[in-house]
Amino acid sequence: MPAPTSPRRPRVGVTLGPDRSHAALLDGGLVVAQASVPGADLRRLLRALPRPDVDGVTLDISRMLSDTARSAGGTGRPRVAVLRIVPRPATDDALGRHPATVVEDLVHGRFTVGGGSDLFGRALRELDLAGAERLAGLPAVRDADGIAVVAAGSHAQPRQELAVAAVLRRRLPSAHLSLAADLGGQGLVAREATAVLDAALGRRAADLLDEAEDAAGRLLPGAALTVARGDGGWASLALARAHPVLGVGAGPALQLQGAAALAGRTDCRVVLSPAAAEGPAGHVPLGEVRHGLASVQPYGTADLGTALVVPTAALTWMPPAAAGSAAGTADLPLVTADGDPLQLACVGAAVSRPTAWLDEIAVIDSTERLAEVRRDAQERATAIVTANGAAPGTATVVEMSAVAVPYSPSGTVRVRVRIAGVADDRIGIR
Amino acid sequence: MRAVGTVGTAGTVGTAGGVGTAGTPGTAGGVGTAGTAGTAGTSWVGTAGALTAADVPALYEGATFYSPAVGDASKSSLVDWLTELLERNGPVPVQRPGTLDPETACVAVCVMGSGSALADLPPAGDEFATAVEHLAQVCGRRFGAVYPLAAATVSALVPVAAAAQLSVPLLDADGMGRTFALIHHTAMTLGGLSPAPLVLCGATGETVAIGAAAAWRADGLARPSVDVLGGWAALAAYPSSAGRLARVALPGTVSRLVNVGRLLLSTTDADVLLTRLAAITGSRRVGRGRIVELEHLSRPSDVTVPAHPSSVVVDELPDGDAPGRLFRLELRSEIVAVFADGALLAATPDLICLVDVLRGRVSTLDSLEPGDLVDILVTPADAVWYSPEGLAMVGPATHGIPLDHPRRR
């Protein structure tokens, strides 16, 4: 049964993995063909599918990205230098490093630059630009595959990150930089993890997407190629190349959407297979789909064991019996996904849409000002999703919340907005 | 064990309190009767003798239950830091105040300010010990134990870190039994102790020492400095003796965090969780529904209290053919009141929290979204807070809700 929001024209969803890759062709919201190949051979995978006038291909590379991030210790390990801009260095090693092993294993060198701002972007210390200049000359920075720059308060005021980036670009013009401010979100440690992964995955993502663009261009010449995001939406090739971390952890969100689409639901709870994601033994993951998109949250650990600021599927792990009984406590229908997780991911990718997400702090002093803040956030997220491939005028608010930040000065609100659009068939590789 | 600070004359500190008379704040239970919390509280068994690295995850979860104000943005780094500290320095002894020499000087420690600010500006690591040592210099006495000013949220973790760094025991007691908005909203204040002198230390490494003429002046003097220090600061306050704290602090409030935390970690099934929580905390579910609206500036605002008033509207799931009620939750850093179809069901000092039904865990207040399915859970606070003095300090009227507390009708 096709989902009510399923695209009517043929679309292909693909999930690439180091061990097995899978593709599904959907037409009118129904799965009309599937293919599976060993390894990550997209060309072979697309050849195995019938090729009608496909409208678009959404590619899930999350398993490939996870594999790269986890290859720490291997010969192909990316090496990242981290520049943390805070008022002073940590006095305890445990606070000076990142708590997640997967992040720390990627870090080739870690340095503190004096500076930092508060939650509202007010500087707490003058930026030590001379220190940044000195760091740029160190081998651990100079020879890194990527450099992650993260400043306290940079989600509110990116000026210090940008100033350090300018020094690095001047001194190391070929360096691959990831600035935490470009990725947004609250919490320095989670922003740092996101920026480190972004820097580490840059080369691998570029190689994968170059190959994919070539394969899709030859075999599906009319189709727009997009990349699945961790939140179950998709990003343009340009955005995925610039920030590959957006694609991390996409699998579970796509599977939730795929299961809902196959059940003909836009709003439901979904019990996934234990193979859908890594979790405790003997438990199954449970998630929700709202408006056809997976319910997501920041600080999810994806399958890498580290909290990220980019949202991923909100999953709960429960014993199978408890997950089944959850249907009795909810006002939503329960869908049990008993199909191949890779097939579900492909269906979820094929029905996904361009999305954008903002998570910001603002200050309000009146309900009118709050309305302005919400409107401004919505407009900026709409601009982002339109630039990302949504057809103009199609962007709608999937989720929006503004909550008072506890124990902060009166008027401090955290604003989160998630926007989704409809594919603009003028983008991509046509 | 290493004593903290400078050698000096022991004695009473602070400008606002008399010595020795703890007072009896009302009908709902005595202050300082160890292990009892009157009609509204809970007796505790299994008091912790020490906190080890293995206890940290449960401590964190329990602290979230007693104040769901702070989200998870700083969770991993704080848990990692404290775990490593306890592995490196060994377990922290946890003792009731009455088990120490009554003359032992003790100091309260907490995070003053916003958890979101702390997440974006992580501690360097020495702020809490520095605040204690600086206060020791101000007081001219060594501190032989630390205790949480509020045994909830991140403020329950940092006294453990300070105790580990300073090699002193941690008191199994605190001043709030949850969190309230202002630093003088404590059982110690009700018992005649002053928060001052106090010391703040920020992530910048800067410190501020404050003396206050009266307990209620301390917060107003400190909070502007917290803003300048980056939105949060380590606070060392309420210097006192173990003997005095045995009479005025709330006992057993550290041990119970670990107990509740273990329970929270044991299941993700909301129904199972609520049944177990009810058995050991006295909590009750007043309703289950979906969040349908978040509102701001929904009541008159007093700018001396952190966070502006906001409201959450929850549409109760229907029970068979019976339509659900409409709950209105009033927020001010914590959930301060719950109305059901306009009638007041529960109010501060009751501990009111939301449990995410899908995830079977406490919902933090900075991450609520329309569409979330939640259980509304009400837990009685420590008995001292239902006394006339306690309600005058932290009751619903202090948040612009001039109604009798449901437990006092």
Side-chain angles (χ1 to χ4, degrees):
Chain A
M1 180 181 178
T5 58
S6 296
R8 311 311 297 177
R9 297 185 58 191
R11 284 188 59 83
V12 173
V14 176
T15 178
L16 290 183
D19 50 349
R20 186 163 74 96
S21 298
H22 197 89
L25 171 64
L26 270 69
D27 195 355
L30 299 172
V31 179
V32 295
Q34 296 185 68
S36 197
V37 299
D41 190 341
L42 180 62
R43 197 175 298 252
R44 189 174 160 200
L45 192 60
L46 294 180
R47 279 201 193 103
L49 283 180
R51 281 169 261 152
D53 185 18
V54 171
D55 195 49
V57 179
T58 298
L59 186 63
D60 166 27
I61 58 171
S62 61
R63 289 184 294 141
M64 302 296 291
L65 297 178
S66 292
D67 187 62
T68 302
R70 285 174 156 157
S71 68
T75 52
R77 172 177 66 164
R79 298 171 307 162
V80 177
V82 179
L83 273 57
R84 194 186 271 193
I85 305 171
V86 289
R88 61 194 178 116
T91 59
D92 190 310
D93 287 346
L95 289 164
R97 62 167 188 255
H98 195 280
T101 304
V102 70
V103 174
E104 242 2 67
D105 283 350
L106 293 167
V107 175
H108 180 54
R110 176 180 281 288
F111 307 94
T112 299
V113 177
S117 306
D118 68 10
L119 207 56
F120 307 102
R122 297 176 297 212
L124 294 168
R125 183 184 158 180
E126 191 175 353
L127 180 64
D128 180 10
L129 268 180
E133 289 273 3
R134 283 193 298 275
L135 293 176
L138 296 178
V141 176
R142 200 177 56 220
D143 301 338
D145 294 308
I147 304 173
V149 182
V150 55
S154 67
H155 64 284
Q157 177 50 268
R159 190 179 302 134
Q160 293 190 343
E161 280 185 13
L162 293 171
V164 169
V167 168
L168 295 170
R169 288 199 175 100
R170 177 168 47 78
R171 296 284 303 272
L172 307 167
S174 61
H176 176 78
L177 301 184
S178 281
L179 307 188
D182 290 342
L183 300 161
Q186 312 296 316
L188 181 128
V189 169
R191 279 211 309 281
E192 181 178 279
T194 312
V196 167
L197 282 168
D198 200 50
L201 298 172
R203 278 192 191 161
R204 183 69 177 122
D207 290 346
L208 281 169
L209 297 179
D210 285 350
E211 289 171 22
E213 191 170 17
D214 183 57
R218 288 172 189 274
L219 297 168
L220 297 170
L225 181 62
T226 55
V227 180
R229 298 164 55 119
D231 73 348
W234 56 248
S236 65
L237 275 183
L239 184 58
R241 277 198 178 95
H243 294 301
V245 73
L246 294 174
V248 167
L254 297 177
Q255 291 177 46
L256 290 171
Q257 292 169 189
L262 291 176
R265 304 282 189 185
T266 55
D267 296 273
C268 59
R269 285 182 163 193
V270 180
V271 180
L272 291 174
S273 144
E278 290 192 6
H283 288 58
V284 293
L286 181 70
E288 276 192 5
V289 173
R290 298 178 192 171
H291 313 294
L293 289 168
S295 180
V296 297
Q297 61 183 11
Y299 316 125
T301 57
D303 55 354
L304 289 173
T306 182
L308 303 175
V309 291
V310 290
T312 52
L315 296 178
T316 305
W317 290 84
M318 305 183 91
S325 70
T329 63
D331 53 345
L332 288 175
L334 188 73
V335 170
T336 300
D338 47 10
D340 178 354
L342 296 188
Q343 178 198 342
L344 291 177
C346 291
V347 173
V351 302
S352 70
R353 294 185 280 159
T355 54
W357 161 276
L358 290 179
D359 182 355
E360 300 180 335
I361 298 289
V363 178
I364 61 167
D365 56 8
S366 65
T367 51
E368 291 77 16
R369 175 62 188 149
L370 174 62
E372 279 178 31
V373 165
R374 290 168 64 104
R375 192 165 52 245
D376 174 64
Q378 184 176 336
E379 285 174 358
R380 280 183 293 117
T382 299
I384 293 168
V385 82
T386 304
N388 190 31
T394 64
T396 55
V397 176
V398 179
E399 296 166 17
M400 187 162 201
S401 67
V403 294
V405 179
Y407 299 103
S408 285
S410 186
T412 310
V413 290
R414 180 181 184 181
V415 179
R416 291 192 294 181
V417 59
R418 187 182 183 201
I419 296 273
V422 174
D424 185 341
D425 60 10
R426 292 170 298 180
I427 67 152
I429 59 170
R430 283 179 195 281
Chain B
M1 278 191 182
R2 179 164 68 93
V4 183
T6 56
V7 178
T9 52
T12 56
V13 180
T15 57
V19 179
T21 310
T24 51
T27 56
V31 179
T33 308
T36 62
T39 54
T42 306
S43 296
W44 288 93
V45 293
T47 302
L51 287 172
T52 69
D55 294 321
V56 175
L59 180 72
Y60 183 92
E61 293 300 323
T64 301
F65 175 78
Y66 282 98
S67 175
V70 179
D72 285 342
S74 59
K75 175 181 175 179
S76 59
S77 58
L78 290 178
V79 167
D80 189 61
W81 174 45
L82 184 55
T83 300
E84 188 165 309
L85 262 179
L86 296 181
E87 285 171 347
R88 195 191 306 148
N89 297 3
V92 167
V94 179
Q95 293 183 246
R96 294 278 178 122
T99 65
L100 292 175
D101 178 339
E103 295 303 315
T104 305
C106 307
V107 58
V109 173
C110 76
V111 172
M112 185 172 183
S114 151
S116 294
L118 176 78
D120 227 86
L121 180 65
D126 59 357
E127 292 86 349
F128 300 95
T130 298
V132 170
E133 289 178 327
H134 194 139
L135 184 60
Q137 291 174 2
V138 171
C139 295
R141 64 197 306 192
R142 294 166 173 267
F143 290 115
V146 300
Y147 65 104
L149 196 153
T153 186
V154 291
S155 284
L157 273 66
V158 294
V160 187
Q165 290 172 323
L166 299 167
S167 299
V168 297
L170 178 73
L171 297 188
D172 192 0
D174 84 322
M176 297 183 180
R178 43 163 296 167
T179 53
F180 293 114
L182 305 177
I183 61 171
H184 62 279
H185 289 171
T186 64
M188 286 87 78
T189 304
L190 289 175
L193 280 179
S194 172
L198 58 86
V199 169
L200 298 163
C201 180
T204 57
E206 297 158 310
T207 57
V208 179
I210 291 174
W216 63 269
R217 294 276 297 161
D219 196 283
L221 289 165
R223 210 159 287 275
S225 293
V226 171
D227 289 343
V228 177
L229 290 169
W232 75 272
L235 171 67
Y238 288 103
S240 184
S241 67
R244 186 85 186 273
L245 290 170
R247 294 191 295 275
V248 301
L250 304 174
T253 49
V254 173
S255 296
R256 70 179 184 182
L257 297 180
V258 179
N259 294 333
V260 171
R262 286 188 184 127
L263 194 157
L264 288 165
L265 290 170
S266 70
T267 181
T268 51
D269 184 317
D271 288 327
V272 173
L273 178 65
L274 266 54
T275 302
R276 292 178 183 171
L277 279 173
I280 69 166
T281 68
S283 62
R284 67 189 170 98
R285 180 171 65 193
V286 299
R288 169 175 289 182
R290 282 207 183 265
I291 295 174
V292 292
E293 187 64 60
L294 303 169
E295 297 174 4
H296 293 267
L297 302 167
S298 47
R299 302 187 304 282
S301 181
D302 171 2
V303 294
T304 62
V305 179
H308 58 274
S310 60
S311 306
V312 175
V313 180
V314 176
D315 189 8
E316 188 177 32
L317 298 185
D319 182 9
D321 293 333
R325 296 167 292 176
L326 205 60
F327 295 110
R328 185 177 179 86
L329 282 59
E330 300 296 340
L331 274 64
R332 191 89 195 247
S333 288
E334 308 286 335
I335 302 174
V336 299
V338 182
F339 294 85
D341 288 340
L344 184 63
L345 274 189
T348 176
D350 295 342
L351 175 63
I352 304 164
C353 66
L354 301 176
V355 172
D356 184 319
V357 175
L358 177 64
R359 298 175 189 102
R361 60 166 303 178
V362 176
S363 297
T364 53
L365 299 183
D366 67 349
S367 61
L368 302 178
E369 285 190 16
D372 289 349
L373 182 66
V374 294
D375 281 321
I376 303 167
L377 200 62
V378 176
T379 306
D382 289 86
V384 65
W385 296 120
Y386 298 102
S387 67
E389 295 87 349
L391 285 173
M393 181 179 278
V394 298
T398 62
H399 292 283
I401 303 169
L403 298 173
D404 287 341
H405 194 280
R407 294 179 194 274
R408 299 284 295 181
R409 287 174 190 156

